[in-house]
Amino acid sequence: MDAFLFLAVAVLAALFSNAFAGTERRLKWIGSYERAAAASPGAGPGVAKPTPGPEAVVTPSLGAPAGAKAFPPHPDKASADISGEDVMELHARKTVPFLDARRTSVYRDGHIAGARPFSVWESDVDEKVKAYFAEGTDQSAPIVVYCSGGTCEDSHMLAEKLYLVGFDNVLIYKDGYPDWIQRGLPVTKGSEP
Amino acid sequence: MRGRLASEWLTVRVQFVLAAFFVLAGIAKIADPPGFAHEIHNYGLVPGSLVNAMALILPWLEVITGVGLFLGIARRSAARILGILLIVFIIALGINLARKKPVDCGCFGTAKVQKTDAERLKDMKLVILRDVGLLLLAGQILYATKREERI
């Protein structure tokens, strides 16, 4: 009986503290952290978009210099991994969005210049993804998502959320922020991109 | 020997140590629920839909049970709960150690310092040893307070 009392008080305290927590500390009670296996062709919201065949002409991304590598959409899966070299090229185009999946506090300490904060562990991530969709960004244009590299799965979870609202060209910077730092590339500190 | 093990003098001190550990650990996690949710998720043992609920409730359970133990309120129940939590932590760490999957303990919130995989695997073994020690403390409280259940 005492044990249930301890548990009941703990649940009430958790409810209370979460209700009054700020955005960076609040959690939704039901999490959504499943990593789905690669979707079958045609899965995902909206009209299924066919993957371009080898003979198809792939329109280069806006801002891409002539002869630049193309990053075609991949509607059959949530994301594709890309290397540091590819990330550097995409960043140089200045038209490719970069999304940081790490915690906001970590983002403030330093992030890829121009990247926007989209922490998957904070309660407002689904609202941010919906708002990003509502901005009207081309859903087939490349988006780069990153986190801390190594075994960090945050970028994959963010890619999954973006895929579920219709973005089918999410590219994951697999070595993440530590690799960016190691390459001596531009970073920004603070809350702004 | 049995008498000393069940002495009130020892039991009170063990209560304080165990309570202090769990209250401090719980407070650190209450300060950063998303960070703790991330650590739970990394263990790969809890379904995604339950991660957040666990991250919110568990630290408060640690603190409230710890405070109860410290004040001597329902100390047998408190020791039982903490003992069960310790067994769960030991099993979770043991499973990931067997998988050779390094995870941060998450015991006192999110680790600030990045460690190598080898360092984290070594830390996991030390944490298991520590938790076994704490489990013995919980066991001592239960042993010494057996008579309270009979009353």
Side-chain angles (χ1 to χ4, degrees):
Chain A
M1 189 62 193
D2 293 328
F4 286 113
L5 205 58
F6 280 126
L7 186 59
V9 174
V11 170
L12 283 171
L15 276 165
F16 189 78
S17 74
N18 197 47
F20 290 98
T23 315
E24 287 181 32
R25 275 193 54 239
R26 194 180 308 132
L27 280 176
K28 287 186 174 173
W29 277 90
I30 310 283
S32 53
Y33 305 124
E34 306 294 349
R35 269 187 77 183
S40 50
V47 177
K49 298 169 197 171
T51 309
E55 70 285 356
V57 173
V58 178
T59 308
S61 303
L62 192 69
K69 185 175 175 182
F71 294 92
H74 38 79
D76 59 325
K77 56 184 179 177
S79 62
D81 289 354
I82 54 172
S83 65
E85 285 75 28
D86 288 338
V87 171
M88 283 168 59
E89 191 208 314
L90 288 166
H91 192 261
R93 294 183 192 179
K94 299 196 187 306
T95 54
V96 176
F98 274 61
L99 306 184
D100 189 325
R102 302 172 303 156
R103 298 290 306 282
T104 304
S105 54
V106 177
Y107 170 90
R108 278 199 291 264
D109 288 342
H111 52 271
I112 293 176
R116 294 164 61 171
F118 271 74
S119 171
V120 288
W121 292 101
E122 290 164 18
S123 62
D124 61 349
V125 64
D126 290 332
E127 284 73 31
K128 278 184 174 174
V129 167
K130 285 177 193 165
Y132 186 66
F133 173 80
E135 286 175 17
T137 308
D138 179 1
Q139 289 176 272
S140 295
I143 299 172
V144 175
V145 171
Y146 72 93
C147 59
S148 306
T151 54
C152 181
E153 294 186 0
D154 296 0
S155 50
H156 291 85
M157 290 194 281
L158 180 58
E160 189 65 35
K161 289 183 184 289
L162 291 164
Y163 181 65
L164 286 173
V165 296
F167 291 98
D168 58 11
N169 200 356
V170 179
L171 305 170
I172 290 182
Y173 180 7
K174 61 183 181 201
D175 293 324
Y177 189 68
D179 181 66
W180 186 264
I181 293 285
Q182 220 170 6
R183 290 171 185 264
L185 294 166
V187 300
T188 307
K189 293 190 179 186
S191 309
E192 296 300 318
Chain B
M1 175 68 180
R2 276 189 200 169
R4 281 185 196 165
L5 209 55
S7 73
E8 190 62 19
W9 182 92
L10 177 65
T11 306
V12 166
R13 280 148 184 80
V14 167
Q15 272 175 237
F16 287 166
V17 167
L18 200 59
F21 179 89
F22 274 95
V23 168
L24 289 173
I27 287 172
K29 289 180 282 220
I30 286 167
D32 186 19
F36 186 44
H38 193 176
E39 302 292 354
I40 293 173
H41 179 257
N42 284 344
Y43 275 77
L45 297 171
V46 177
S49 54
L50 296 179
V51 166
N52 285 2
M54 207 165 143
L56 287 166
I57 295 172
L58 202 63
W60 278 107
L61 187 61
E62 290 180 2
V63 168
I64 285 161
T65 314
V67 168
L69 191 64
F70 189 83
L71 298 174
I73 301 170
R75 54 182 181 171
R76 277 188 69 80
S77 295
R80 268 196 208 108
I81 290 172
L82 297 181
I84 289 169
L85 288 178
L86 284 163
I87 289 169
V88 168
F89 298 155
I90 289 167
I91 291 172
L93 279 164
I95 289 172
N96 280 281
L97 204 54
R99 289 173 179 170
K100 289 196 175 14
K101 183 186 171 196
V103 292
D104 288 317
C105 160
C107 307
F108 288 90
T110 316
K112 301 286 180 224
V113 177
Q114 292 293 328
K115 293 186 172 181
T116 64
D117 286 355
E119 284 170 340
R120 284 153 83 195
L121 284 168
K122 184 182 165 196
D123 283 351
M124 286 163 74
K125 291 176 190 169
L126 293 173
V127 169
I128 289 176
L129 277 174
R130 182 202 66 197
D131 287 354
V132 167
L134 292 169
L135 191 58
L136 290 172
L137 295 185
Q140 187 279 333
I141 297 171
L142 289 170
Y143 175 74
T145 56
K146 263 191 304 189
R147 288 183 186 175
E148 287 177 15
E149 194 152 70
R150 291 190 199 134
I151 294 169

